[in-house]
């Protein structure tokens, strides 16, 4: 959402409290006891539902029952499908959130929205960031393999069918996603990274703490920072069971660095493009290293190989 294109009059009216917004979230359950509401925000497939399941497990908040976006909201139905959606700018639905609720969100950064949220003491936003290279693989798995994708939107089943016909294997699907990702709007989220209106966490660090094992750190600084930010008692990863429960979870065992297993040399070349390298670096990750140089073959080695090849050919022709 480009701040320059926004109707700033809406923001002025919101600030004065003159825009009626009590009918934004309809048929929502009773809120939890927390004095805050929580927006679980991220780029799609960066870990939104890891945050959702974590906030739910920590207690104090109840899902408002809607997915929220930059300029719309969609009600989440019990079967995992989403309603078509209603066109509502983020400041309008954000002003309708009440303490004790949380929601899943894919909301781009906007300075007007940021300033509005900073003026609300009951506001909390968790923003989770993930290596864009892993997001590419996660997106491919979500679109082509998850049970959730075709149910979420009426058009998604057709999109999967058409995409499978155009890109019949994993390699071509990764290539297609890599080529489209830099222009997908992902850059519009970057300014949330340093925004005082949210707490930014890294997917890799939070996942390591929740998964335990060798990747975990002790104690759990990221998890405890989230608890402190939300005003909730600190809990340990052992007390929580959130992994693999998210609506869009891939079920894949490896979550961190999966791109190194799934991507081929041609994909790594695309990762080294200026556009994608810029994306990786701006989200705070190390750029994809250049390819290793091919070791030159010495003249003597080349002659020996040529001799062996010649002898093999002569034997084959006898």
């Amino acid at each position: 959402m480009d701040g320059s294109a926004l109707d700033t009059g809406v923001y002025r009216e919101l600030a004065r409290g003159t825009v009626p917004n009590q009918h934004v979230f309809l048929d929502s359950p009773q809120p939890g006891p927390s004095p805050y509401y929580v927006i679980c925000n991220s780029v799609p497939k960066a870990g939104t539902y890891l945050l959702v399941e974590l906030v739910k497990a920590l207690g104090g908040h109840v899902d408002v029952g809607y997915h929220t976006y930059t300029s719309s909201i969609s009600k989440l139905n019990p079967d995992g499908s989403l309603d078509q959606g209603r066109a509502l700018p983020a400041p309008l639905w954000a002003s309708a959130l009440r303490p004790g609720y949380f929601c899943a969100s894919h909301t781009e950064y906007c300075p007007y929205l940021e300033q509005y949220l900073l003026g609300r003491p009951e506001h909390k936003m968790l923003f989770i960031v993930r290596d864009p290279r892993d997001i590419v693989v996660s997106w491919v798995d979500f679109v082509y393999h998850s049970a959730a994708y075709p149910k979420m939107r009426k058009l998604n089943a057709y999109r999967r069918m058409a995409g499978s016909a155009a890109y019949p294997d994993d390699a071509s699907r990764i290539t297609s996603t890599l080529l489209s990702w830099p222009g997908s709007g992902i850059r519009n989220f970057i300014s949330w990274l340093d925004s005082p209106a949210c707490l930014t966490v890294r997917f890799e660090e939070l996942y390591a703490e929740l998964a335990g094992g060798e990747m975990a750190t002790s104690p759990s600084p990221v998890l405890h920072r989230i608890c402190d930010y939300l005003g909730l008692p600190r809990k340990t990863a052992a007390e929580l069971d959130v992994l693999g429960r998210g609506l869009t979870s891939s079920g894949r065992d490896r979550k961190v660095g999966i791109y190194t297993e799934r991507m081929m040399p041609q994909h790594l070349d695309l990762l080294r493009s200026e556009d994608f390298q810029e994306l990786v670096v701006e989200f705070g990750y190390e750029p994809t290293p250049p390819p290793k140089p091919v070791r030159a073959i010495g003249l003597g080695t080349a002659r020996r190989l040529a001799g062996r090849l010649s002898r093999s050919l002569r034997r084959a022709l006898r």
Side-chain angles (χ1 to χ4, degrees):
M1 178 169 57
D2 184 354
S4 63
L6 293 170
D7 180 4
T8 55
V10 172
Y11 291 89
R12 287 195 296 269
E13 295 302 313
L14 283 169
R16 287 197 291 264
T18 57
V19 174
N21 57 6
Q22 63 268 31
H23 302 302
V24 172
F25 299 110
L26 306 175
D27 302 321
S28 295
Q30 287 296 312
S34 173
Y36 308 110
Y37 69 80
V38 186
I39 300 173
C40 299
N41 193 23
S42 78
V43 171
K45 300 309 300 171
T48 319
Y49 269 94
L50 182 61
L51 291 181
V52 164
E53 293 300 318
L54 177 60
V55 171
K56 188 188 304 182
L58 289 173
H61 300 88
V62 174
D63 192 340
V64 74
Y66 284 78
H67 280 208
T68 59
Y69 305 90
T70 305
S71 55
S72 66
I73 64 170
S74 292
K75 186 171 181 58
L76 179 64
N77 299 308
D79 64 354
S81 65
L82 291 166
D83 286 353
Q84 188 66 28
R86 293 154 59 203
L88 287 170
L92 188 55
W93 61 251
S95 70
L97 280 169
R98 296 290 178 260
Y101 284 125
F102 72 86
C103 65
S105 189
H106 299 309
T107 301
E108 300 167 4
Y109 174 82
C110 168
Y112 297 105
L113 175 62
E114 178 189 58
Q115 290 302 306
Y116 173 70
L117 293 176
L118 286 172
R120 296 188 64 181
E122 72 274 28
H123 156 75
K124 300 288 181 180
M125 179 192 288
L126 294 172
F127 181 70
I128 191 165
V129 60
R130 188 179 187 183
D131 190 327
R133 293 163 291 201
D134 278 342
I135 292 178
V136 166
V137 176
S138 188
W139 178 256
V140 168
D141 287 346
F142 172 58
V143 171
Y144 293 99
H145 303 297
S146 74
Y149 180 76
K151 290 195 302 184
M152 292 183 79
R153 301 284 186 185
K154 292 180 180 179
L155 192 58
N156 282 6
Y158 168 76
R159 286 172 173 163
R160 174 179 285 185
M161 180 182 67
S164 297
Y167 310 106
D169 53 46
D170 191 55
S172 61
R173 293 165 185 173
I174 290 175
T175 298
S176 172
T177 306
L178 277 170
L179 290 172
S180 64
W181 212 244
S184 66
I186 187 174
R187 283 189 175 86
N188 297 337
F189 289 81
I190 289 175
S191 291
W192 284 127
L193 290 171
D194 299 317
S195 172
C198 61
L199 175 66
T200 297
V201 298
R202 283 182 180 267
F203 174 90
E204 295 80 6
E205 295 173 353
L206 179 58
Y207 185 85
E209 290 183 8
L210 294 173
E214 294 181 358
M215 297 176 64
T217 57
S218 183
S220 304
V222 178
L223 181 55
H224 289 171
R225 190 154 46 98
I226 292 173
C227 293
D228 294 346
Y229 177 70
L230 299 181
L232 297 170
R234 288 184 173 185
K235 291 187 178 181
T236 64
E239 298 175 79
L240 304 168
D241 182 20
V242 301
L243 297 184
R245 294 181 174 274
L247 179 65
T248 63
S249 176
S250 67
R252 183 179 2 92
D253 290 336
R254 183 173 179 181
K255 304 288 186 182
V256 179
I258 185 61
Y259 80 93
T260 60
E261 294 182 1
R262 294 273 291 278
M263 290 191 183
M264 299 179 177
Q266 66 267 28
H267 300 134
L268 299 180
D269 288 338
L270 291 173
L271 289 180
R272 296 184 186 104
S273 70
E274 184 176 351
D275 284 346
F276 210 98
Q277 290 280 46
E278 181 182 334
L279 202 60
V280 169
V281 173
E282 285 186 334
F283 272 96
Y285 295 86
E286 290 297 319
T288 306
K292 295 180 180 179
V294 178
R295 192 176 69 178
I297 299 176
L299 181 59
T301 302
R303 285 174 176 171
R304 286 194 296 274
L305 290 173
R308 290 174 188 170
L309 178 60
S310 178
R311 288 192 293 274
S312 297
L313 287 172
R314 285 198 298 271
R315 284 195 297 269
L317 292 172
R318 287 175 185 171

